[in-house]
Amino acid sequence: MFVLTIDQAASRTSPDRIPELLALLRPVRAVLPWERSVGDEAQGVLADPADVVDAVLLCLRAGGWYVGIGVGMVEEPFPSSPREGRGSAFVAARRAVDRAKKTGDRAPLAVEGPRGHADVAAEAEGVLALLGRHVMGRSEAEWRILDLLQPGERGTQTVAARSLGISPQAVSKAAARAAWHEERTVRQAVARLLAWADRPDGALTH
């Protein structure tokens, strides 16, 4: 199971952005609903590692958030709110978000997992941070193009070009510059590493 603890950066000098964050994350599937946990923090409990990757990249794109990913156990029966949750994943998420605040110029995220899978959690963090760097570095002009593309569907670059009034070559160059095609594969790689870190026996399924 995965717990995400997300803390607003510069919250003492900025307006409260938690309602904005909750609206942003609402489409991301969660076992326990996304909620304000305390003050300028929000939490969610997720079962699918691909959803974890989606949530993290949404936060990095929006900017201004520290993201802690805790991998581990969530006590059952599940409560109605993450604020009432207990288990090692919550403890790991707290450690992770505290460490995410100290990442400097790197993507502000951290992954903490069970002691026996610390190496896998570190690998997931490293790959996710590299992916996050690409996401954070994209311009608004690039996002206008990328938001019109659909993974795995032929012809979407032509459709995007027509919609924006630019050439298909310009769309292709923007996608290449933003590493958009590589992102699809890297997302899957991060999700597999997170799934591995979450398996009690340490086995990675194919």
Side-chain angles (χ1 to χ4, degrees):
M1 200 68 72
F2 307 93
V3 173
L4 268 64
T5 297
I6 305 168
D7 191 358
Q8 181 178 337
S11 57
R12 294 183 180 179
T13 57
S14 304
D16 180 10
R17 295 181 61 204
I18 294 298
E20 169 193 332
L21 176 68
L22 296 180
L24 178 70
L25 295 177
R26 191 172 296 125
V28 180
R29 296 177 300 175
V31 176
L32 297 181
W34 296 99
E35 286 187 359
R36 184 192 299 269
S37 51
V38 60
D40 54 2
E41 283 187 355
Q43 272 189 330
V45 178
L46 286 69
D48 190 329
D51 294 332
V52 174
V53 178
D54 288 344
V56 172
L57 295 184
L58 283 172
C59 291
L60 294 182
R61 175 178 175 177
W65 300 104
Y66 300 112
V67 184
I69 305 158
V71 186
M73 181 268 296
V74 173
E75 290 186 7
E76 298 187 38
F78 295 145
S80 59
S81 165
R83 288 174 292 180
E84 301 169 0
R86 296 168 57 89
S88 61
F90 286 93
V91 177
R94 168 54 52 196
R95 292 198 309 266
V97 77
D98 287 343
R99 195 159 54 79
K101 299 175 185 179
K102 304 172 184 176
T103 53
D105 294 333
R106 206 199 71 176
L109 65 92
V111 181
E112 292 279 343
R115 186 171 300 176
H117 300 312
D119 55 342
V120 182
E123 291 170 4
E125 178 181 317
V127 178
L128 189 52
L130 283 173
L131 179 56
R133 184 170 188 147
H134 281 286
V135 169
M136 295 169 65
R138 291 169 181 164
S139 66
E140 288 300 320
E142 288 172 336
W143 278 118
R144 281 195 293 273
I145 294 172
L146 299 180
D147 285 339
L148 295 175
L149 301 180
Q150 297 297 325
E153 290 189 15
R154 297 185 62 181
T156 58
Q157 291 190 1
T158 302
V159 173
R162 187 179 302 119
S163 175
L164 295 171
I166 60 178
S167 69
Q169 291 79 9
V171 172
S172 179
K173 287 181 180 179
R177 186 168 56 248
W180 187 81
H181 296 289
E182 293 82 354
E183 176 186 327
R184 315 319 303 177
T185 301
V186 175
R187 279 175 177 258
Q188 296 173 16
V190 177
R192 286 173 61 80
L193 286 168
L194 289 171
W196 190 0
D198 191 38
R199 289 184 63 85
D201 58 2
L204 181 60
T205 57
H206 297 276

